[in-house]
């Protein structure tokens, strides 16, 4: 079974879902674009987003714990980048001052802050998504580890 598919995959779709890493990258890009469009058109940028995996039921299957660890690390790096961006957005928001006291200058400063506030909300939605996904990946890793330990124990009793 290729990485990135699940046991329920019937194989009738001609499009290869790619490796789990490819799927993760695709979801990161898709969520970024969708969040940008939601914010651009005044929709809720923090709307809950659900991603599926390489087959029916939206479940990934990883070939090994090491592969899953690599994906978890990648998502943790992405989360850390989101947190770093959050700091930059906040700094930019609070550093904006109108260049003059007239209404146009104040309006431009307010418009810039509004834009940064929307950016911060999008960043917040991405952070929540990443943290939630990392938690799910870690839960899958724990389960995969338990399954492997159980299989090892059964194998040892058969050999004894």
């Amino acid at each position: 079974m290729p990485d990135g598919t699940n046991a329920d995959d019937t194989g009738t779709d001609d499009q290869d879902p790619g490796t789990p890493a490819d799927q993760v990258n695709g979801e990161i890009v898709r969520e970024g674009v969708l969040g940008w469009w939601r914010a651009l058109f005044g929709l809720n940028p923090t709307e809950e987003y659900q991603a599926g995996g390489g087959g029916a039921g939206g479940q990934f299957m990883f070939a090994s714990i090491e592969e899953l660890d690599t994906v978890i690390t990648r998502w943790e790096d992405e989360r850390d980048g989101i947190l770093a961006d959050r700091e930059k957005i906040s700094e930019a928001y609070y550093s904006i001052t109108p260049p003059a006291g007239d209404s146009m200058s104040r309006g431009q400063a307010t418009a810039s802050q509004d834009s940064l506030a929307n950016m911060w909300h999008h960043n917040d939605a991405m952070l929540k998504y990443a943290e939630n996904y990392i938690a799910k990946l870690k839960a899958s890793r724990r389960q995969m580890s338990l399954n492997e330990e159980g299989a090892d124990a059964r194998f040892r009793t058969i050999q004894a």
Side-chain angles (χ1 to χ4, degrees):
M1 172 180 324
D3 290 342
T5 61
N6 72 28
D8 297 329
D9 191 357
T10 61
T12 58
D13 189 7
D14 291 323
Q15 185 175 355
D16 180 14
T19 66
D22 291 339
Q23 294 174 33
V24 166
N25 290 337
E27 288 304 320
I28 291 169
V29 169
R30 273 189 287 283
E31 176 55 19
V33 170
L34 289 173
W36 180 78
W37 276 100
R38 285 192 296 262
L40 181 66
F41 291 106
L43 302 173
N44 182 1
T46 61
E47 178 179 309
E48 185 68 26
Y49 177 76
Q50 295 292 322
Q59 299 174 357
F60 289 114
M61 283 195 72
F62 294 94
S64 67
I65 288 179
E66 292 77 22
E67 181 182 21
L68 183 52
D69 286 341
T70 300
V71 173
I72 290 170
T73 299
R74 184 95 193 273
W75 272 92
E76 288 172 336
D77 291 344
E78 189 68 31
R79 180 206 50 214
D80 294 345
I82 292 167
L83 284 168
D85 290 345
R86 169 179 270 209
E87 292 299 317
K88 292 174 189 172
I89 294 166
S90 183
E91 288 173 19
Y93 180 91
Y94 289 109
S95 69
I96 293 176
T97 57
D102 62 287
S103 63
M104 291 302 287
S105 295
R106 287 190 307 271
Q108 282 300 100
T110 300
S112 295
Q113 285 181 319
D114 290 347
S115 178
L116 287 166
N118 284 333
M119 188 184 296
W120 192 91
H121 287 297
H122 174 69
N123 178 278
D124 188 55
M126 289 192 312
L127 179 61
K128 288 176 184 172
Y129 177 85
E131 288 176 340
N132 184 38
Y133 201 71
I134 290 167
K136 289 179 181 180
L137 288 170
K138 286 183 175 181
S140 293
R141 189 199 186 287
R142 284 189 297 275
Q143 186 60 48
M144 190 174 185
S145 179
L146 288 173
N147 290 346
E148 284 189 10
E149 288 172 13
D152 287 346
R154 284 190 299 276
F155 185 69
R156 282 190 300 271
T157 60
I158 292 172
Q159 286 183 330

